[in-house]
Amino acid sequence: RLVQSSSESPTDVHLAEPDFLWFGITERMKESSCLLFHTLRTKPVKEVPHERVVKCSPTSWWTEEHRREVRRREPADYAVWRTANAIFDVRVL
């Protein structure tokens, strides 16, 4: 990504810092949080803020048919979830 301020000429362009990408995967939130704190080289917060936390129902009772139906109805969401998990697995190693 290239960045240019209004005071710079079009030929005077600087490279910006790399973008930051973080996945908070609900099923793996503890691992996700640990990786975030490790990446930022900071200590975890003592208590998780509750302002933006949504209580998610567990999916442990879902049948394979339920899972197939979600994949059929929400292919983009499922693709993002799978991709996030794959990237997450690589980063955790």
Side-chain angles (χ1 to χ4, degrees):
R1 187 173 77 172
L2 299 175
V3 178
Q4 179 180 335
S5 74
S6 58
S7 64
E8 295 173 328
S9 70
T11 57
D12 189 14
V13 178
H14 305 281
L15 290 177
E17 291 294 318
D19 287 334
F20 182 82
L21 181 64
W22 180 72
F23 296 102
I25 301 168
T26 302
E27 298 86 353
R28 301 172 75 178
M29 191 53 70
K30 286 184 181 181
E31 291 172 284
S32 297
S33 297
C34 287
L35 181 59
L36 176 66
F37 292 125
H38 175 76
T39 301
L40 297 177
R41 294 184 179 112
T42 185
K43 292 182 181 179
V45 293
K46 291 182 181 179
E47 186 177 326
V48 176
H50 298 284
E51 289 78 14
R52 293 194 221 167
V53 175
V54 176
K55 188 153 180 89
C56 298
S57 302
T59 58
S60 58
W61 56 269
W62 285 20
T63 64
E64 266 312 303
E65 180 58 32
H66 291 129
R67 287 179 171 78
R68 278 194 295 275
E69 187 64 17
V70 169
R71 288 191 293 264
R72 185 183 71 76
R73 289 184 183 198
E74 302 294 338
D77 286 349
Y78 184 66
V80 169
W81 180 81
R82 286 185 49 145
T83 302
N85 271 283
I87 293 169
F88 183 78
D89 287 339
V90 169
R91 292 179 123 181
V92 168
L93 295 176

